[in-house]
């Protein structure tokens, strides 16, 4: 059974700090990895999609990496802001389903 | 593109009533998925359509749940009769699907928050 794991489940960081969210997966043949953000009571917003031929993707203050050999992905957030507070979900999108981790609840302390 | 559009945003209904949730996928996407999210179970795949055809409905919890996709731009998820344990947020997502070059990721709608009292 393919799984996606995110540790820690929750994280609090002072505003302005850089931080890294971790994701691990068991599928050694992973095609792609996608990071989502979910605000309380809201939907899922796609942040970054890393395709198998890529090692990382960047969008603004966000940088996501994919290391297939170690089964890991990281989401780096630079200069964190209170508005970054949300749950961040790592997921493996397949053709017939998307396998989600349980997410990391991030709280940026003002 | 306006993204994946779901309606209604919120639905409160009494136990035993029929509930219909609606979804309009992104134009050109050939795969559509219905997910349910609860605190206890997280995100669960209910059913998956490819080119309007249901491919995998093994996640549909009971016969009370049914889903249709009459055309490429519209899908419904129906619960009849509804029960309090069906209360959850229901998400629709669409994707370009597998093209041989890899999956292009998923786009989710804003969800329908269903409360059955």
């Amino acid at each position: 059974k393919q799984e996606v794991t995110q540790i820690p489940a929750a994280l609090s960081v002072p505003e302005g700090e850089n931080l890294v969210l971790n994701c691990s997966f068991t599928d050694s043949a992973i095609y792609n990895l996608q990071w989502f953000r979910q605000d309380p009571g809201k939907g899922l917003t796609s942040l970054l999609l890393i395709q198998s031929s890529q090692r990382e993707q960047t969008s603004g203050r966000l940088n996501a990496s994919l290391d297939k050999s170690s089964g890991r992905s990281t989401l780096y957030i630079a200069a964190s802001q209170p508005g970054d507070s949300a749950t961040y979900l790592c997921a493996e999108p397949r053709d017939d389903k998307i396998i989600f981790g349980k997410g990391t609840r991030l709280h940026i302390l003002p | 593109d306006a993204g994946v559009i779901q309606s209604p945003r919120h639905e409160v209904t009494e136990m035993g009533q029929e509930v219909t949730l609606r979804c309009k996928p992104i134009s050109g996407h050939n795969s559509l998925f219905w997910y349910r999210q609860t605190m206890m179970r997280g995100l669960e795949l209910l059913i998956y359509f490819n080119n309007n055809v249901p491919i995998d409905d093994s996640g549909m919890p009971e016969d009370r749940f049914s889903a249709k996709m009459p055309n490429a731009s519209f899908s419904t998820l129906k619960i009849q009769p509804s029960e309090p344990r069906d209360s959850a947020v229901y998400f629709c997502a669409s994707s370009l699907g597998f093209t041989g070059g890899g999956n292009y990721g998923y786009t989710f709608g804003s969800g329908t928050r269903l409360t059955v009292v």
Side-chain angles (χ1 to χ4, degrees):
Chain A
K1 178 182 176 182
Q2 307 296 354
E3 293 184 346
V4 175
T5 304
Q6 293 183 252
I7 297 173
L11 181 65
S12 292
V13 176
E15 179 181 2
E17 286 198 2
N18 303 325
L19 62 99
V20 175
L21 305 181
N22 295 299
C23 170
S24 60
F25 47 88
T26 58
D27 184 4
S28 60
I30 190 171
Y31 275 109
N32 309 287
L33 192 124
Q34 193 166 4
W35 282 92
F36 292 88
R37 167 182 173 145
Q38 186 173 29
D39 293 279
K42 304 292 186 182
L44 286 83
T45 301
S46 179
L47 297 174
L48 291 163
L49 171 68
I50 311 174
Q51 295 185 313
S52 60
S53 59
Q54 303 167 323
R55 291 183 63 84
E56 64 179 87
Q57 280 283 343
T58 298
S59 176
R61 294 182 294 108
L62 306 180
N63 176 278
S65 68
L66 175 62
D67 185 342
K68 296 171 67 174
S69 62
S70 67
R72 293 182 181 179
S73 175
T74 60
L75 179 66
Y76 174 82
I77 302 177
S80 58
Q81 303 171 359
D84 295 330
S85 298
T87 296
Y88 291 80
L89 293 148
C90 167
E92 178 189 354
R94 295 171 170 231
D95 55 340
D96 60 346
K97 68 179 71 173
I98 183 166
I99 302 174
F100 283 98
K102 293 191 182 300
T104 295
R105 293 188 310 279
L106 176 65
H107 181 47
I108 305 300
L109 304 168
Chain B
D1 198 312
V4 177
I5 300 173
Q6 290 187 247
S7 63
R9 292 294 304 274
H10 301 275
E11 177 80 32
V12 180
T13 190
E14 291 185 347
M15 182 174 63
Q17 296 297 307
E18 177 181 297
V19 176
T20 300
L21 312 181
R22 297 172 177 79
C23 175
K24 181 181 187 306
I26 289 176
S27 176
H29 281 192
N30 60 9
S31 296
L32 183 140
F33 305 79
W34 282 99
Y35 280 83
R36 177 171 69 175
Q37 186 179 37
T38 61
M39 289 292 292
M40 292 294 293
R41 294 174 173 263
L43 280 153
E44 302 174 278
L45 175 64
L46 300 177
I47 187 169
Y48 150 56
F49 292 86
N50 183 252
N51 293 322
N52 312 337
V53 176
I55 304 299
D56 182 0
D57 65 354
S58 60
M60 297 285 262
E62 301 170 34
D63 290 345
R64 299 183 296 106
F65 286 69
S66 63
K68 294 182 179 180
M69 191 165 187
N71 56 61
S73 60
F74 184 65
S75 176
T76 60
L77 177 67
K78 184 178 294 186
I79 308 172
Q80 167 64 19
S82 58
E83 297 183 3
R85 59 196 170 112
D86 301 331
S87 297
V89 180
Y90 291 81
F91 288 105
C92 175
S94 70
S95 170
L96 276 170
F98 185 71
T99 63
N103 191 297
Y104 288 89
Y106 285 50
T107 302
F108 279 76
S110 299
T112 295
R113 182 173 296 277
L114 174 65
T115 303
V116 183
V117 297

